[in-house]
């Protein structure tokens, strides 16, 4: 079996850390089915990445595969797209083919069009994408347009969690 080059970071696989997070992180885990797109918005330490990681860990176990879900930071993804090497294109292909792709820390990457391309392609092939973002939903919509969020949430019964709302 091929090694997963984009595993869930270890720091996002410890369920005991949920007690330190916003209760909606735990709610996401109960709602997300592993077959749907999801968007998690909120401040640092709300539990966005932890919830995404634990959700993907659950899916990987259900599917009996450590590589069902792949994980990449948005800034790394944009740099990867900017490279014109065979290795970069192989990695891009691997990320596009992932059954579930988490794009972590969206909103701060220097070239957002690279990430938009990924989300659009995954939408077209009906592959779920989870994003985590420290921006508020309105700021995300201004940066990427409403269609980007729609493309994420249209896969399955998409889940949006806004940790910014009280």
């Amino acid at each position: 079996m091929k090694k997963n080059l984009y595993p869930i970071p270890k720091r996002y696989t410890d369920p005991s850390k949920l007690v330190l997070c916003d209760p909606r992180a735990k709610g996401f885990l109960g709602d997300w089915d592993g077959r749907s797109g999801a968007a998690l918005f909120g401040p640092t330490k709300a539990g966005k990445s932890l919830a995404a990681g634990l959700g993907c860990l659950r899916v990987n176990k259900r599917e009996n595969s450590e590589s069902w879900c792949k994980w990449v930071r948005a800034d790394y993804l944009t740099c990867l797209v900017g490279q014109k090497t065979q290795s970069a294109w192989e990695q891009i292909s691997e990320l596009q083919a992932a059954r579930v792709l988490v794009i972590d820390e969206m909103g701060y990457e220097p070239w957002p069009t690279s990430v938009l391309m990924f989300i659009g392609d995954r939408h077209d092939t009906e592959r779920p994408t989870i994003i985590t973002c420290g921006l508020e939903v309105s700021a995300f919509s201004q940066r990427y347009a409403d269609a980007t969020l729609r493309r994420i949430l249209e896969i399955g019964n998409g889940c949006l969690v806004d940790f910014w709302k009280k």
Side-chain angles (χ1 to χ4, degrees):
M1 179 163 67
K2 186 178 174 184
K3 184 178 187 284
N4 183 4
L5 297 177
Y6 296 95
I8 303 161
K10 292 265 189 245
R11 65 185 172 278
Y12 302 134
T13 61
D14 182 357
S16 69
K17 292 181 179 177
L18 273 174
V19 296
L20 304 172
C21 298
D22 186 301
R24 290 171 281 196
K26 193 173 184 179
F28 167 78
L29 290 170
D31 294 341
W32 187 64
D33 62 7
R35 294 176 177 85
S36 301
L40 308 173
F41 295 94
T44 301
K45 301 290 183 193
K48 306 175 299 288
S49 298
L50 181 62
L54 290 172
C56 287
L57 189 65
R58 184 182 67 206
V59 170
N60 283 348
K61 285 181 182 174
R62 181 186 72 210
E63 300 300 332
N64 197 26
S65 169
E66 289 183 13
S67 61
W68 190 265
C69 299
K70 308 256 185 221
W71 189 286
V72 67
R73 278 190 346 258
D75 61 342
Y76 181 81
L77 182 60
T78 60
C79 290
L80 196 60
V81 170
Q83 296 176 21
K84 305 292 185 213
T85 65
Q86 182 66 31
S87 173
W89 288 112
E90 287 171 3
Q91 291 176 64
I92 290 166
S93 294
E94 180 177 342
L95 290 168
Q96 278 295 21
R99 294 293 189 150
V100 176
L101 178 65
V102 177
I103 302 176
D104 195 25
E105 293 296 334
M106 220 173 135
Y108 309 104
E109 67 283 356
W111 308 288
T113 53
S114 303
V115 178
L116 297 179
M117 175 193 73
F118 258 77
I119 291 170
D121 288 349
R122 292 187 59 77
H123 175 264
D124 293 346
T125 58
E126 298 185 3
R127 294 183 183 275
T129 302
I130 299 174
I131 62 136
T132 69
C133 182
L135 301 175
E136 293 190 26
V137 177
S138 59
F140 180 89
S141 291
Q142 287 176 352
R143 180 171 168 92
Y144 299 103
D146 291 332
T148 303
L149 191 54
R150 180 181 47 78
R151 286 182 180 118
I152 293 165
L153 300 178
E154 278 183 353
I155 304 301
N157 53 343
C159 182
L160 186 147
V161 182
D162 186 353
F163 293 92
W164 287 106
K165 289 188 177 179
K166 297 294 175 195

